[in-house]
Amino acid sequence: AGFIGSHLTIKLVDEGYNVTILDNLSEQIHGKERERSVLYKSIKDISRFLLGDVCNKSDWKKALEGQDVVIHLAAETGTGQSMYEVSRYNKVNVLGSSYLFEVLANQDNSVKKIILASSRAVYGEGRYYCPNHATIFPAERDEKHLEKGVFDPICDICHGNLTLEATDEESKIHPVSIYGITKQIQEQIFFLMGKNLDIPIVALRYQNVYGPRQSLINPYTGILSVFSTRLLNNNDIDIFEDGMASRDFVFIDDVVNSTILALKKEANNQVFNVGSGVATTINEVANQLKLAYNSDRNLFVSGRYRKGDIRHNLADLSKISSLLGYVPEVDFKTGMKKFTDWVQTQNVSQDQYKDSITELTKRNLLK
């Protein structure tokens, strides 16, 4: 019943599927009055909704009865938050996945396919090119460099400058956050158990997903939502590093379409990137949002940095295009307008950004 799941449910129901949802309606996503959540209200009357938790084996047993396919979207997703709520992220993302397969291994079921919502976070910094050493997958950025304002990764061998390349699915897996590690472990669990149980698995490594109905109260994920909440509460925006960090922003409709392609197509036991194939800088995001909301607030490029963050993110979509026929249809300008038009129809909640910054700072995760 979260951001991606609610959009996906609506599209699946429109195509004639019967959908069962298992969700705990987390306060961080849905708010204290979860029954009033925009996300929950969008699916409660069109699906079989079970209020439960992936960390509860009995809830899995109920949810799996009579199901043909499992699309596993349940996860804690905040990179920064994962660095100090380690057990929570491990419990939900790893143990929750373990319960799914423990139930499948020990009770009769009709599950014929499982789709996992994975993340580009498994790649860490991703793929770069070094003039001296060709393809490089740089290690986590050195804090000594970050302190001096050197934010781009450098070659681990010659310490020279690197050029960003699109990261494909064969790239090195070396996450730099607890969140990324839990997604890597999820993939390993799913593919191992899928093989043992003879259930086909597809893992979709979503890039930075955005769009209407993205939570406006969660200060830990979704930079467009965080910045929007700041501006519409008449607050300035603090842009980390030099603002030139970039992300592959993919619109929610494209994510839904990719997931349904993975459901319908026979390209099983595969991993696919899901993105736009375009890198957009954080400076550009902030400026477009300021313009969309006609805001007079300031954009401060602070030079501060957060441990566990990557510098750039750009997905190679060759594989998903070839095997699933996926082509992103919504460019960032169009998607941004759809998102900001929706935001301006909402009662924008209290800005909780400062609380999240306080949490990171006191744990020495924000410098």
Side-chain angles (χ1 to χ4, degrees):
F3 171 44
I4 297 174
S6 62
H7 280 272
L8 179 60
T9 295
I10 291 168
K11 185 70 177 290
L12 287 171
V13 171
D14 285 345
E15 294 198 9
Y17 291 90
N18 295 316
V19 178
T20 291
I21 294 175
L22 173 64
D23 200 300
N24 68 353
L25 297 181
S26 165
E27 182 178 324
Q28 188 165 308
I29 302 298
H30 297 272
K32 293 182 179 179
E33 298 180 79
R34 57 193 184 190
E35 294 80 8
R36 299 179 62 182
S37 163
V38 173
L39 297 170
Y40 172 63
K41 288 194 292 186
S42 72
I43 53 82
K44 68 182 181 68
D45 295 326
I46 63 171
S47 66
R48 171 187 172 229
F49 180 81
L50 301 177
L51 180 62
D53 199 305
V54 293
C55 296
N56 187 321
K57 199 185 301 184
S58 63
D59 289 338
W60 268 120
K61 291 178 179 179
K62 295 175 186 175
L64 289 169
E65 290 176 0
Q67 303 304 311
D68 299 313
V69 177
V70 176
I71 303 177
H72 187 69
L73 295 156
E76 299 292 352
T77 58
T79 300
Q81 188 181 48
S82 76
M83 302 295 279
Y84 62 87
E85 293 201 25
V86 180
S87 61
R88 174 184 168 192
Y89 274 69
N90 185 69
K91 179 180 179 182
V92 175
N93 298 359
V94 178
L95 188 61
S97 299
S98 302
Y99 282 143
L100 162 62
F101 286 102
E102 195 165 307
V103 172
L104 290 175
N106 289 288
Q107 75 173 34
D108 292 337
N109 66 82
S110 53
V111 174
K112 301 176 182 66
K113 190 173 194 174
I114 301 175
I115 298 172
L116 168 66
S118 187
S119 169
R120 67 86 38 221
V122 301
Y123 296 123
E125 280 294 343
R127 182 185 181 111
Y128 289 77
Y129 177 78
C130 172
N132 299 317
H133 300 100
T135 298
I136 291 288
F137 301 100
E140 183 177 4
R141 294 178 293 169
D142 192 325
E143 194 165 343
K144 293 179 181 177
H145 295 152
L146 297 174
E147 289 173 350
K148 296 176 181 178
V150 179
F151 299 118
D152 282 312
I154 61 174
C155 178
D156 299 330
I157 304 169
C158 67
H159 307 297
N161 294 330
L162 300 173
T163 302
L164 177 68
E165 292 188 336
T167 300
D168 62 18
E169 291 86 351
E170 299 304 314
S171 296
K172 182 178 180 179
I173 301 299
H174 60 153
V176 297
S177 67
I178 293 298
Y179 168 65
I181 290 171
T182 65
K183 300 307 284 188
Q184 176 189 6
I185 295 172
Q186 269 192 332
E187 287 190 10
Q188 292 172 316
I189 291 172
F190 274 67
F191 282 108
L192 177 63
M193 290 304 298
K195 181 179 180 180
N196 286 344
L197 298 174
D198 197 25
I199 299 175
I201 304 292
V202 179
L204 301 175
R205 290 174 180 162
Y206 296 143
Q207 310 299 301
N208 288 66
V209 188
Y210 73 100
R213 296 207 304 275
Q214 189 164 28
S215 176
L216 296 173
I217 64 172
N218 184 357
Y220 297 99
T221 60
I223 192 170
L224 273 77
S225 294
V226 173
F227 281 3
S228 294
T229 304
R230 293 290 291 164
L231 290 172
L232 294 175
N233 275 283
N234 207 32
N235 292 316
D236 297 329
I237 290 181
D238 177 7
I239 299 174
F240 294 167
E241 300 183 12
D242 59 358
M244 296 307 295
S246 65
R247 297 291 184 267
D248 185 329
F249 292 100
V250 56
F251 192 68
I252 183 62
D253 291 359
D254 287 328
V255 169
V256 167
N257 289 339
S258 72
T259 308
I260 293 178
L261 285 170
L263 169 67
K264 293 179 176 180
K265 299 277 187 173
E266 292 300 321
N268 296 325
N269 302 312
Q270 300 278 354
V271 174
F272 296 102
N273 288 332
V274 178
S276 67
V278 177
T280 304
T281 69
I282 305 305
N283 276 340
E284 185 177 347
V285 171
N287 279 292
Q288 285 200 32
L289 288 172
K290 182 177 177 179
L291 184 64
Y293 299 133
N294 194 27
S295 172
D296 62 357
R297 303 315 303 170
N298 295 314
L299 308 179
F300 290 113
V301 179
S302 66
R304 295 198 292 176
Y305 59 89
R306 187 175 64 174
K307 293 182 180 180
D309 269 349
I310 60 165
R311 178 63 170 171
H312 297 295
N313 172 21
L314 177 61
D316 185 322
L317 303 179
S318 302
K319 183 178 179 182
I320 192 170
S321 174
S322 174
L323 296 184
L324 295 187
Y326 167 79
V327 178
E329 297 178 356
V330 183
D331 61 60
F332 188 65
K333 182 178 179 180
T334 302
M336 173 75 84
K337 186 175 189 312
K338 290 176 180 286
F339 172 73
T340 55
D341 285 350
W342 170 77
V343 170
Q344 291 177 93
T345 68
Q346 303 302 299
N347 293 320
V348 178
S349 304
Q350 181 182 356
D351 185 359
Q352 301 181 62
Y353 174 78
K354 284 188 176 181
D355 293 338
S356 69
I357 293 300
T358 299
E359 294 291 332
L360 292 171
T361 302
K362 73 181 183 181
R363 291 172 172 85
N364 202 35
L365 294 171
L366 180 64
K367 297 293 190 75

